Amino acid sequence: SVPAASETTDLSQLINKLLAAGNADHKYVEFDFLINGQFLRVPLVTHMEMENISTEEVVEIEYVEKYMAPQPEECIFHDDWISSVQGTEEWILTGCYDQTARIWSLEGRSIMTIAGHTEVVKDVAWVKKDSLSCLLLSASMDQTVLLWEWNVEKNKVKALHCCRGHAGSVDSIAVDCTRTKFCSGSWDKMLKIWSAVPTDEEDEVEEGANRPRKKQKTEQLGLTRTPLATLSGHTEAVSSVLWSDAEEICSASWDHTIKLWDAETGDLKSTLTGNKVFNSISYSPLCRRLVSGSTDRHIRLWDPRSKDGSLVLLSLTSHTGWVTSVKWSPTHEYQLLSGSLDNIVKLWDTRSCKAPLYDLAAHEDKVLCVDWTDTGLLLSGGADNKLYCYRYPATASDVGA
Amino acid sequence: MEQARPGGESAEELTDSGESVYSGLEDSGSGSSSAGEDSDSDSDAEDGPGGSSPPRTHAKGAPRKSKTLEDDSSLKDDEDLLAQNEYEEDSSDEEDIRNTVGNIPMEWYQDFPHIGYNLDGKKIYKPIRNKDELDMFLEKMENPEYWRTVQDKMTGADIKLTDEQVELVHRLQRGQFGDVHFNPYEPAVDFFTHEVMIHPVTNRPADKRSFIPSLIEKEKVSKLVHAIKMGWIKPRKPKDDTPTYYDLWAHEDPNSILGRHKMHVPAPKMKLPGHEESYNPPPEYLLSEEEKLAWEQQEPAERKLNFVPQQYRCLRAVPAYPRFIHERFERCLDLYLCPRQRKMRVNVDPEDLIPKLPKPQDLQPFPTTQALIYRGHSSLVRCLSVSPSGQWLVSGSDDGTVRFWEVCTARCMKTLPVGGVVKSIAWNPNPTVCLVAVGVEQSVLLVNPCLGDKLLYGATDQLLESYVAPEEERVQPVQWVTATAEQHGKGVRLLVQHSKAVKQVTWHGKGDYFASVVSDNSNMQVLIHQTSKRWSQNPFRKSKGLVQCVLFHPIRPYFFVATQRYVRVYNLLKQELTKKLMTNCKWVSSMAIHPGGDNIICGSYDSKLAWFDLDLSTRPYQLLRHHKKALRSVAFHKRYPLFASASDDGTVIVCHGMVYNDLLQNPLLVPVKVLKGHTPTLDLGVLAVLFHPTQPWVFSSGADGTVRLYT
């Protein structure tokens, strides 16, 4: 039995004493405590009152090693707003409002600036990373998605394909797990699936009278590519797409719905209906949940498998502005990252839905994009032209009882 | 025989007998049998000293009574033998031998001439009674003893009462005891005192058993104790002290006679006297000569005053009122004849009078919080417009620029310097045309913002370039000028140059025509332009006042022109005035039309918002006064039942304005949200308000140089 008024620090000291008693060379570790899958954030008695747990019962308290605060690493300056970011083990790819995409090293060194779009780059994605050359994608407001090949050794970039077909700004792209296809969502309410495999031949483009003029423009931008399939069903702009598995595409739209599509047949599988415009969604294969950020201050968790329509499993509320970007942790099934118009990036644990684990308040303007790499790097970019990197130690979650 | 009598005539009959005596006396003819008995016994007493009273002693039973009667008998004995043994004559032998029939009802012998038989078996005859009425009367007149003569029923003989007997009768009649010597008020002797004495009445020692507990009682008590233990005997219930009243009139019928008293209608009060009734009225109440003449010629019933106001020097000089009785009579007639009706005072809860408005949270969605601020303008932002897709926002400012914004990120995508104050801006509502009309100083610029679909804005440019000038030059009120190369690079395609400063531009729903308002006082205030033909016309021949703003009907060929106080609705096809709406406002500032086309809202500088239902009336259906300062702009949402008003007090008020398809149901207007955010500068607050075309979001631009988005 522990005192009812004890807080996490008291409990942590208690566990440490016990561990030190058993193991002589034990180092002090900060712990966090879970009661029925909820993080303890207040004194024990208050938490139990809030959760309606009787003090007479035996309460099982799990302890996990406390997640250390993310350590700020780099601040990468851009020339304009950062619209999108995607990191890998070695490089960071950002899309920028100055119509370029940029490749950065993890240390913040600019490696490559990819210019070619005639409008704002809205989204970027890595397709393939080989030792010699990398394939990457950039989607822009100029209604095209460009497939680039980046030769790492020579540090040369070449536009392989120009994916044409959208009639609006392409806001979101997502590459599937086989790295051979990608999907794009656009302001023109359409989703289009494209091949991500570079070829040498140009697709047939049925263009009308003004073909010569268009062709002139596209000459230096690689071969034109047309979509493999078009998924239409949204009634408003598509704001975010992702592949939830090899055959399923998830799309969020301004028409207040999240739609799940079969990528093979192009059929609509199910629809989750919210009541606000969705800005961003993210899917975690670890916990099989969708998380959405919308034009209010809530982050909502959805079960895409649920057949009974729209059911919000959980909503995380701490932001004060629109949630522009959300991202699940690739390694941890409970953690996610969110960026908002209130200039704050928040690190969440779904077991503590009342308050985030950490607030990363470095940005001076709107946060537009966040990303979380496998190596435990948190990236966030925004309207203050800065890309912030945080090192987040991926702790092995040793759970005791 | 006397012995048998008390057995037959019970004690109660005896009491009766007293009465019978009197009645017998009074009736004087038909003496009752008991009276006869009495007289019989009395006559007996006459005969001998031993009267027939002793048997009565037995009859009475009560000692005191018997004493009385004994005294009674002793009364008779009084005269001859005093203090004799009173029981001496108590012998049953001495019976009245004249009556041999015994105690039988005498009417059995009524029809016989005799009563009974004597010892020899001979009939004993009744005295002959053959007197007729006349004889009776004569005897009554002549016989001085008639009044004391009674008939003995037993024998049928007449008996004359003695003086003592008469005296006795009188005494009894007065309610006195029959015995003269009996004193009813003898002093009482207390044989047993009521007071508790210390000594016992008897000297007997207490029994032994009084000291020994009684076994029987013990048994009884133990039985009771057992019963109490077993719960068979319950303690007595405490008596209910509350008196059992009940409402006597609870179920009374209010319409019954008593109920009418409750519905008493008080008489109306008389009118209090006014100045004209004064003895010295102010001169204006006095009738002039012609008024007096007219008064006299009027019918008495028609007169407004039923008297002529008179003036007297002082109250003393006022004569008696000659019509006083008449007036009282009239009043009584009024009270009597006037039908009175009970005024049903309805008890209305003031809460009920407030119309039932739904709660704002039930009317979601509507904008509630400020989401984005579009910063960039350096001066007040006068006008806003949003692209039909909802992706782009354009704003015009006093700093001489037009800025294009990305709605969802507040990114300024383009800045177009126009070199003048931008008074009005309008994005072409046709989604296939990408064109913005900007009213700058004396010209309207048609700008292709080159945002959105490339094909679309390319097509728009082609559309504008495809214009072929007509062969013959037409006289136009404005000049259409193609933009220079430098302007073309910025996006400006055409300039429509007016002669005066342009106040407002607005597009027709199809996107080909647009109207512009210039600040002028002539009939050239409103012009309608056709973009594809570059042709302008002046629809009005006459000026109807200072035009504030104009508006195209979204569906029908109507054109709304708001002047300072009125909104005129013109039919463009028939070229006539259809309606004139009275705004009830001092100065209309702005106007917006419901997408259904049947409802209009007008904002005014006197901080009122008038909602017109065109089907209902030309007057406002509702006048909303929510703002504290002048309204600058009003807007309707295209899809949601929302409208908003922007005011100089720095607020935007969003209202729910539901228009029903049912013609009988009036629109439902509920204010749902006050949006604050703009800081009023230079006494100007929010200058423009606009809804997002697809989302329940509202944009507002203010004098602080910002544009704000509320979601």
Side-chain angles (χ1 to χ4, degrees), chain A residues 80-81 97 118-120 122 141-143 167 169 187 210 214 217 236 254 256 277 295 322 341 366 368, chain B residues 371-372 389-392 406 408-411 413 450 452-455 639-640 692 694-695 697 709 711:
Chain A
D80 210 337
W81 294 13
Y97 269 77
T118 56
E119 271 288 357
V120 171
K122 293 289 275 190
M141 222 179 248
D142 64 5
Q143 309 171 16
S169 152
W187 186 269
N210 51 355
K214 286 275 171 196
K217 256 189 183 175
E236 292 286 333
W254 278 43
H256 307 180
V277 165
T295 58
W322 289 6
L341 291 188
K366 300 179 273 286
L368 298 178
Chain B
L372 281 170
S389 66
Q391 195 179 6
W392 313 108
E406 190 184 20
C408 60
T409 55
R411 165 87 183 182
M413 302 303 289
C450 297
D453 194 352
K454 272 184 196 160
L455 287 173
R639 296 191 184 176
Y640 291 94
H692 191 274
T694 56
Q695 303 296 336
W697 300 347
L709 169 65
T711 60

Side-chain angles (χ1 to χ4, degrees), chain B residues 289-319:
Chain B
E289 284 303 318
E290 49 266 36
E291 277 174 337
K292 209 175 276 181
L293 205 66
W295 186 86
E296 275 161 7
Q297 281 169 355
Q298 263 180 329
E299 287 290 315
E302 286 173 356
R303 287 170 184 165
K304 210 171 177 184
L305 289 174
N306 57 358
F307 62 93
V308 180
Q310 298 280 348
Q311 193 174 28
Y312 299 101
R313 188 173 42 81
C314 58
L315 199 56
R316 259 188 303 131
V318 178

Side-chain angles (χ1 to χ4, degrees), chain A residues 383-401:
Chain A
D384 55 355
N385 308 351
K386 289 174 193 159
L387 181 78
Y388 282 97
C389 302
Y390 292 89
R391 174 65 62 184
Y392 186 59
T395 47
S397 54
D398 50 340
V399 176

Side-chain angles (χ1 to χ4, degrees), chain B residues 83-377:
Chain B
Q84 272 192 2
N85 185 6
E86 54 188 25
Y87 297 108
E88 258 181 24
E89 308 100 39
D90 242 4
S91 149
S92 62
D93 297 339
E94 310 194 17
E95 287 181 352
D96 187 0
I97 46 140
R98 282 169 300 180
N99 186 353
T100 57
V101 293
N103 190 11
I104 57 157
M106 281 305 148
E107 53 266 27
W108 290 355
Y109 282 100
Q110 209 167 17
D111 298 332
F112 298 100
H114 67 283
I115 297 175
Y117 303 89
N118 61 10
L119 283 173
D120 304 330
K122 299 274 176 55
K123 289 176 181 170
I124 301 170
Y125 285 95
K126 290 190 235 176
I128 298 153
R129 284 187 176 272
N130 48 1
K131 291 173 186 169
D132 56 359
E133 290 284 309
L134 191 62
D135 289 336
M136 295 267 279
F137 179 72
L138 285 175
E139 196 184 356
K140 197 177 175 182
M141 290 291 108
E142 285 162 7
N143 189 1
E145 302 298 325
Y146 176 81
W147 61 276
R148 60 162 77 178
T149 311
V150 292
Q151 191 189 14
D152 185 357
K153 277 232 180 111
M154 286 298 188
T155 57
D158 283 346
I159 296 163
K160 203 175 284 172
L161 296 181
T162 62
D163 281 346
E164 291 81 34
Q165 284 172 330
V166 170
E167 180 63 19
L168 177 66
V169 166
H170 280 182
R171 287 178 66 81
L172 292 173
Q173 271 183 328
R174 285 200 296 270
Q176 289 170 340
F177 286 96
D179 188 0
V180 183
H181 302 287
F182 177 71
N183 181 7
Y185 306 110
E186 273 177 20
V189 178
D190 231 357
F191 290 107
F192 296 102
T193 174
H194 63 280
E195 288 165 21
V196 179
M197 311 303 276
I198 57 167
H199 298 294
V201 180
T202 63
N203 203 14
R204 194 164 158 238
D207 285 329
K208 184 190 175 183
R209 68 168 178 270
S210 66
F211 299 103
I212 298 169
S214 164
L215 280 174
I216 297 164
E217 276 177 8
K218 188 188 168 192
E219 196 181 338
K220 274 186 185 168
V221 167
S222 66
K223 267 186 188 168
L224 286 173
V225 168
H226 180 66
I228 289 170
K229 274 185 186 168
M230 299 300 286
W232 298 329
I233 297 178
K234 299 240 165 53
R236 216 172 268 137
K237 270 187 197 162
K239 216 175 165 187
D240 195 9
D241 280 342
T242 53
T244 52
Y245 302 126
Y246 65 97
D247 185 1
L248 192 59
W249 295 281
H251 304 291
E252 198 189 17
D253 180 15
N255 297 324
S256 67
I257 295 169
L258 269 175
R260 272 209 319 249
H261 291 292
K262 278 191 209 157
M263 300 288 286
H264 170 69
V265 182
K269 286 207 174 83
M270 277 187 83
K271 200 179 130 252
L272 290 175
H275 287 296
E276 63 273 16
E277 267 119 329
S278 167
Y279 75 94
N280 189 8
E284 62 264 29
Y285 290 98
L286 291 171
L287 298 187
S288 63
E289 284 303 318
E290 49 266 36
E291 277 174 337
K292 209 175 276 181
L293 205 66
W295 186 86
E296 275 161 7
Q297 281 169 355
Q298 263 180 329
E299 287 290 315
E302 286 173 356
R303 287 170 184 165
K304 210 171 177 184
L305 289 174
N306 57 358
F307 62 93
V308 180
Q310 298 280 348
Q311 193 174 28
Y312 299 101
R313 188 173 42 81
C314 58
L315 199 56
R316 259 188 303 131
V318 178
Y321 182 44
R323 287 176 51 85
F324 180 72
I325 297 292
H326 195 263
E327 193 189 76
R328 290 288 93 191
F329 177 66
E330 293 273 308
R331 167 77 175 160
C332 290
L333 277 188
D334 280 352
L335 294 183
Y336 165 55
L337 290 174
C338 279
R340 288 186 210 159
Q341 193 187 20
R342 174 164 285 271
K343 196 171 172 185
M344 295 307 286
R345 192 169 283 130
V346 190
N347 266 333
V348 183
D349 188 9
E351 293 290 315
D352 293 345
L353 295 176
I354 299 170
K356 292 277 172 292
L357 288 180
K359 281 183 187 162
Q361 55 260 42
D362 300 339
L363 303 173
Q364 297 267 22
F366 54 82
T368 52
T369 47
Q370 179 178 300
L372 281 170
I373 305 174
Y374 303 76
R375 294 181 199 276
H377 282 295

